[in-house]
Amino acid sequence: MLIAITRPVSASINRCELGYLPRREIDFQKAAAQHGQYEACLAGLGLRVVSLAPEPELPDAVFVEDPAVVVGEVAIMTRMGAISRRPEAESVARELGRYRPLRWLREPATLDGGDVMHAGATLFVGASLRTNADGIRQLEAELGSFGYSVAPVEIRDCLHMKSACCYLGKQTVLANRAWIDPAPFRELRILDVAPEEPWAANVLAIGETAIVPSCFPATQRILERAGWNVIPVDVSEIMKAEGGVTCMSLIFESRP
């Protein structure tokens, strides 16, 4: 069974960290309703949704993907690039410790989970505003003994790598090539987002299904033609905080 750790939208989300988007007012009630629909979508696909307690004073706490990287054998607690976000890790670690042994990245490493794209035995890691070379090296050192390789990827013009590309399964990456160096993906098939939808690469693939923000209909059609079942979800308020559909859950296989 797949487990999805989530957390409700914080009442303070309008104080969220931003890297590239201008600050716009976020309707908290609407964002909370959109998040509830997102959780219902995950549950409808058969995932067991584990919702953490709210963190009303941590504006970005809904983005539970960033504090950890989970593989089959272990969970790596990251050291997030935004200092204001580091307190989010404590409650995520408490829950993850029920499922995996925990390891922690150390100073001077910084790394956000949103910069890590897991494709088979390879973890592609974006070199971003939030993830530095020490973070990439420490992640590689922690996971190498388990047979995983780590491949750095240069990104530009977006906060996290998963804003620019996401793994769909079947050796396929959905990408906006303008925001990444595609060279590390030479052994994978790259499916391009619709050119008029540069932010559409952040999709969440669960088996044959892709959860896609409803504001990207052209990219939805590209995915459907490529063989994926598409579920559109409205995350318009959460996108104002530079979030997306991968950011709001930490998904991994349960262990016997």
Side-chain angles (χ1 to χ4, degrees):
M1 172 181 285
L2 288 176
I3 295 171
I5 293 178
T6 63
R7 184 175 1 235
V9 177
S10 299
S12 58
I13 192 171
N14 275 290
R15 301 202 312 269
C16 65
E17 295 278 352
L18 291 174
Y20 287 91
L21 291 180
R23 192 170 297 278
R24 294 183 292 161
E25 183 69 22
I26 298 170
D27 184 325
F28 166 67
Q29 296 296 337
K30 186 175 179 181
Q34 290 176 353
H35 186 262
Q37 292 161 5
Y38 170 82
E39 289 180 313
C41 179
L42 295 178
L45 290 171
L47 282 71
R48 181 160 71 86
V49 177
V50 177
S51 183
L52 302 179
E55 293 279 11
E57 297 306 315
L58 297 176
D60 292 281
V62 65
F63 303 127
V64 293
E65 177 184 50
D66 291 321
V69 175
V70 184
V71 296
E73 299 83 0
V74 69
I76 309 298
M77 300 306 302
T78 68
R79 185 171 180 268
M80 287 185 284
I83 295 172
S84 66
R85 296 198 58 193
R86 291 177 189 165
E88 299 170 26
E90 181 181 350
S91 57
V92 174
R94 280 198 304 269
E95 184 61 30
L96 269 181
R98 300 177 55 214
Y99 307 98
R100 297 287 194 277
L102 300 181
R103 298 188 181 182
W104 299 77
L105 299 189
R106 304 165 304 282
E107 190 177 2
T110 63
L111 188 141
D112 280 12
D115 279 322
V116 180
M117 186 183 80
H118 194 170
T122 302
L123 282 77
F124 296 91
V125 185
S128 73
L129 291 176
R130 301 287 175 84
T131 294
N132 65 17
D134 286 292
I136 296 172
R137 281 194 294 268
Q138 287 188 28
L139 184 68
E140 184 174 30
E142 292 288 358
L143 295 180
S145 61
F146 299 109
Y148 297 97
S149 62
V150 170
V153 180
E154 293 296 327
I155 68 170
R156 50 193 172 268
D157 298 331
C158 60
L159 182 62
H160 287 134
M161 189 174 75
K162 283 185 179 172
S163 297
C165 60
C166 282
Y167 187 62
L168 297 170
K170 297 188 286 189
Q171 296 295 105
T172 302
V173 175
L174 179 69
N176 174 358
R177 296 189 205 220
W179 291 354
I180 58 166
D181 173 11
F185 305 141
R186 63 182 64 87
E187 296 183 5
L188 300 172
R189 171 195 182 198
I190 297 180
L191 193 64
D192 293 295
V193 299
E196 68 272 25
E197 296 175 350
W199 291 92
N202 186 265
V203 304
L204 178 57
I206 308 291
E208 300 290 322
T209 298
I211 300 173
V212 185
S214 56
C215 57
F216 300 130
T219 300
Q220 290 175 40
R221 291 191 291 271
I222 290 170
L223 288 165
E224 287 169 340
R225 287 195 296 269
W228 272 266
N229 303 313
V230 171
I231 299 179
V233 294
D234 183 3
V235 289
S236 54
E237 293 302 306
I238 290 152
M239 289 175 67
K240 294 177 183 178
E242 284 184 317
V245 291
T246 66
C247 314
M248 296 185 291
S249 57
L250 191 56
I251 296 175
F252 52 91
E253 291 273 0
S254 61
R255 299 174 72 182

